[in-house]
Amino acid sequence: MDLSMKWINEYVDLCDIDIKQFCHGMTMSGSKVEGFTAEGENISNVVVGKILSKGPHENADALFVCQVEVGKDAPIQIVTNAKNVKEGDIVPVALDGAVLPEGKIKKGKLRGVESFGMFCGLETLGLTINDFPYADPDGVFVIEEECEIGQDIHDALGLNDTSVEFEITSNRPDCLSVTGLAREAAATFGKSLNIKTPAFNGIDGDINEMLKVDINNSESCKRYCAGIVKNVKIEPSPRWLRERLRASNIRPINNFVDITNYVMLEYGQPMHAFDLRYVKDSHIIVRNAENGEKITTLDGVERELSSEMLVIADSEKPVAVAGVMGGEYSGIMDDTTTVVFESAYFEPVQVRRTAKKLGLRSDASARYEKGVDPYGSMTCLMRAFELVEMLGAGEVVKTVIDRDCFENKELKTVDFSADWINNFLGTEISEADMVKYLNALDFKVENGKVISPSFRIDIEYKADVAEEIARIYGYNNIPSTQFKGVAEAEYTPEQKFERVIENTMTALGCYEISTFSFISPKFFDKISLPADSKLRNTETITNPLGEDTSIMRTTILPSMLEVLATNFNNRNSAVKFFEIGKEYLPTAPDKLPLEPLRVAVGMYGDDIDFYDIKGIADKLLETVRIFDCDYVRANDSDAFDEKCAFHPGRSAVITKDGKAIGIIGEIHPDVAENYGIDVKIYAAKFNVPEMLELAEADVNYKPLPKFPASTRDLSLICDDKLPAGTIEKTIKNAAGKLLEKVTLFDVYKGQQIEEGKKSISYSISMRSHEGTLTDEQADSVMKKVLKALGEIGAELRM
């Protein structure tokens, strides 16, 4: 639903409400706004101009040179090829620097003659011939409106409205109208609503002598109102009406068609106008179609009808599909003299089924199938007649036909209890305020009952009334309360820790996987697990699905390798996965196993190496606040039996304070071959309980440094077997408090380096928080570092 802000202001004064405030307020009170568009927002520096003279171009026969008055001190010169303009014409002028939908206008020379602007046509301004029927669609727009020279084109042509797009839910068809949204706006912003009852004068005459209406299916058509307009004048609608239709995304056609569309937008009630000449015997019959009966609708398509479809027919043939679309000859022609207006209530389900079966959706069917005001048909007919007289479009016959088949016209009521509503909402709203909110929405409260207006077809229960009060009171004003019967709960430290791991691994580019906790005993052989490994002691499932799922896993690593193998076999060239899952470690025959939580990581790809898996481990440990970990060769540790699955020289166990918390590295080539993978695989496993125990709970913040750092580089020669982690730890211990950061930036083996040795280089950053570090202080630290390194066999490379 597109709403014209100029139109809604007729019913509720919103001039002091900013458009963004309006959109936010309406959304918060239940009428969701998708967005808003200001007409002509992509047009600027275009004004009304008057052509003072038009002469030939000295260098081009097809061009003309015009002097144009634009409200400035002197006329400007414009070169144009337009043939439909002449001296004295009023035209839109895009000045130098103007912005149009097609781009920016700049002054320049055309065949040697300067031009300081451009004349605009309808299309240039984003308009069509429907907006200004008198205009030349292919030439410059010659304005016939009352306007001033130099006036901004937005004001001169009415391009100053704002359209707000609403997403109306299916239970609120009353908001598919300007008056419905005006009612909502008035209640939302505490404004007065001004909707007048339509009235017309009419001429004497008995409509029953001119038209007959019969309803053969009163279940599908509960009410049918009809009226006649004689001596009609078919012409374009006035500009104000065309502007409102344009802002509502409806194309103006002629005054009578526009009146039906206008009333539909205003009240949400679709209407139709028939040319009485094409209603055989002046007899309208609302009936079901016959099987195989055909009608050509207004869109020019012949459609075959079936017996469950409701049609508006004359004594010979269908002239319209009820609630969906009129027939080809039911529309208004240029030579129409007598018009029949139809305003009816058609049963929603029947309209939807018909529209769906015919594959024909229209603005009318969209409203009918949601449900229109059952008692609003006559009001809308009166409004159409009022507009006819306002536009001077014809003579309205005073009498009307009203075939009303509603048996029960009582308005729906719901019990009203302020205490129940407050208890339901968790609020303390006074009864007086509740009544005020309901009255603003046209509800009445009498004798302990809420009386729903006829257009509110969605009100059935007390909760519906509570919702109306809540949304006008303001959802943001309702205090947050605990659900009754639900204990206050929050994440446990273990759950919080798990979520930190999950978010960190995702941020590091890994996709999470989930595998079964039960595996095959053969998995242990595939990872080359020793026969005497304690991990082969497993819990056996009593009634397994098969051998492949017969035991509970004691290590999560095979599950990860199976997923890597599946992706490799499906030709995924590079993957990074992680899983947070449990292992099941037997304790005693009659007791349940331990179920420690583990994190498994697996990856492969052309650009992935050991440093990628180590980098992930470092970042994970840093994020969960586990610092100063040690990396030791996997073969030098007995903490993980899974070390047999890793390459002996390219794997490491991670420890902290003597506790093993993880193992990382390259998977052994034989194990990779067991899984049918012929590329290098890298994996890791982390023990979550141990990580949680070692993680630092408190976060200590340090002020930003005030003094510069001093950086020294060290290139060392050491045994190839000496771990880089040992060297780094030695540097940190020796450097003391002045050390800020140690960064490994090079490892070299080869020429000029003795066999069995390696060159390893570090960047050492030092900083004092008490003052600028002197060379003497930095040299003193470096001496201590070199002395400590010498004790572990690392000497300065000369």
Side-chain angles (χ1 to χ4, degrees), residues 5 53 127 135 199 303 340 729 754:
M5 290 303 297
S53 65
L127 300 170
R303 303 178 189 276
V340 178
K729 190 172 184 179
E754 183 181 344

Side-chain angles (χ1 to χ4, degrees), residues 642-659:
E642 295 97 330
K643 68 181 181 181
C644 58
F646 289 87
H647 192 294
R650 300 171 189 169
S651 56
V653 170
I654 307 171
T655 64
K656 165 75 174 175
D657 297 339
K659 292 185 178 181

Side-chain angles (χ1 to χ4, degrees), residues 94 138 144 178 194 221 275 330 351 439 560 594 631 782 794:
D138 300 319
E144 297 181 6
V178 179
N194 180 29
C221 178
D275 188 331
S330 68
V351 173
N439 288 343
M560 174 60 69
L594 299 175
Y631 286 80
M782 295 306 297

Side-chain angles (χ1 to χ4, degrees), residues 539 552 583-588 591-596:
E539 293 283 349
M552 303 299 292
E583 294 177 346
Y584 300 84
L585 309 179
T587 54
K591 292 185 178 181
L592 292 174
L594 299 175
E595 300 180 17

Side-chain angles (χ1 to χ4, degrees), residues 20-314:
K20 291 184 179 179
Q21 182 185 354
F22 172 79
C23 294
H24 175 73
M26 294 296 284
T27 297
M28 293 305 296
S29 67
S31 303
K32 183 183 177 184
V33 174
E34 289 290 303
F36 66 90
T37 304
E39 282 188 325
E41 61 184 355
N42 53 356
I43 298 173
S44 64
N45 207 20
V46 180
V47 300
V48 175
K50 181 178 181 180
I51 300 176
L52 302 177
S53 65
K54 178 182 179 182
H57 191 290
E58 59 187 16
N59 299 322
D61 294 337
L63 298 178
F64 304 93
V65 180
C66 300
Q67 298 299 318
V68 185
E69 182 182 354
V70 291
K72 296 188 176 182
D73 295 338
I76 64 171
Q77 181 172 281
I78 293 179
V79 178
T80 181
N81 65 348
K83 297 180 180 179
N84 71 315
V85 295
K86 61 184 184 302
E87 182 179 325
D89 282 347
I90 308 297
V91 296
V93 179
L95 303 175
D96 179 30
V99 176
L100 295 170
E102 61 191 38
K104 194 170 184 179
I105 304 301
K106 295 183 179 180
K107 66 180 180 180
K109 290 185 177 181
L110 295 177
R111 299 295 294 271
V113 177
E114 282 191 311
S115 181
F116 295 88
M118 184 185 81
F119 297 145
C120 299
L122 285 175
E123 186 176 356
T124 304
L125 298 173
L127 300 170
T128 68
I129 193 67
N130 301 103
D131 299 310
F132 292 92
Y134 61 80
D136 182 348
D138 300 319
V140 169
F141 178 23
V142 180
I143 301 173
E144 297 181 6
E145 314 295 315
E146 290 186 9
C147 51
E148 298 178 2
I149 305 303
Q151 184 179 11
D152 187 275
I153 203 66
H154 295 87
D155 298 327
L157 300 183
L159 284 170
N160 51 7
D161 201 352
T162 300
S163 295
V164 180
E165 181 185 356
F166 286 87
E167 180 185 319
I168 305 300
T169 54
S170 58
N171 68 318
R172 291 299 307 276
D174 59 298
C175 288
L176 288 170
S177 65
V178 179
T179 54
L181 290 172
R183 186 179 296 105
E184 292 291 313
T188 299
F189 298 105
K191 300 281 188 176
S192 298
L193 182 65
N194 180 29
I195 300 178
K196 297 178 181 179
T197 302
F200 69 100
N201 297 317
I203 62 171
D204 293 333
D206 185 359
I207 191 174
N208 294 298
E209 296 176 359
M210 309 173 201
L211 183 67
K212 181 180 179 182
V213 175
D214 289 315
I215 300 177
N216 292 351
N217 185 346
S218 59
E219 291 299 318
S220 295
C221 178
K222 294 286 189 181
R223 192 174 188 183
Y224 193 96
C225 302
I228 286 181
V229 180
K230 300 166 63 177
N231 300 321
V232 304
K233 302 172 186 176
I234 306 300
E235 57 189 6
S237 299
R239 190 179 112 181
W240 65 266
L241 197 152
R242 300 196 307 267
E243 287 178 2
R244 292 184 180 182
L245 293 180
R246 182 181 70 225
S248 303
N249 202 25
I250 297 290
R251 178 172 58 93
I253 297 175
N254 60 50
N255 50 0
F256 274 86
V257 175
D258 293 349
I259 285 172
T260 60
N261 286 330
Y262 189 92
V263 174
M264 178 183 71
L265 293 171
E266 189 173 33
Y267 286 92
Q269 167 74 57
M271 295 187 68
H272 192 63
F274 297 95
D275 188 331
L276 187 58
R277 291 177 301 176
Y278 297 106
V279 179
K280 183 72 172 177
D281 298 329
S282 298
H283 187 189
I284 290 178
I285 306 169
V286 185
R287 61 173 175 83
N288 283 74
E290 297 177 6
N291 283 322
E293 198 169 17
K294 294 183 179 180
I295 183 174
T296 300
T297 46
L298 282 171
D299 57 2
V301 178
E302 184 180 69
R303 303 178 189 276
E304 185 172 327
L305 307 174
S306 54
S307 59
E308 71 273 14
M309 298 178 183
L310 194 70
V311 296
I312 310 301
D314 57 21

Side-chain angles (χ1 to χ4, degrees), residues 579-642:
E579 179 179 13
I580 303 176
K582 292 181 178 180
E583 294 177 346
Y584 300 84
L585 309 179
T587 54
D590 297 330
K591 292 185 178 181
L592 292 174
L594 299 175
E595 300 180 17
L597 198 63
R598 306 297 190 219
V599 178
V601 185
M603 60 183 69
Y604 66 80
D606 293 340
D607 299 328
I608 293 175
D609 57 22
F610 177 83
Y611 295 104
D612 288 288
I613 194 72
K614 183 178 183 296
I616 285 178
D618 289 341
K619 191 62 181 178
L620 176 61
L621 295 173
E622 177 189 336
T623 304
V624 299
R625 303 190 56 74
I626 301 176
F627 304 107
D628 300 325
C629 294
D630 295 321
Y631 286 80
V632 298
R633 294 179 186 274
N635 278 357
D636 296 339
S637 171
D638 295 326
F640 291 92
D641 281 13
E642 295 97 330

Side-chain angles (χ1 to χ4, degrees), residues 785-796:
V785 169
L786 289 173
K787 181 179 178 182
L789 290 172
E791 293 174 358
I792 63 171
E795 303 291 339
L796 189 64

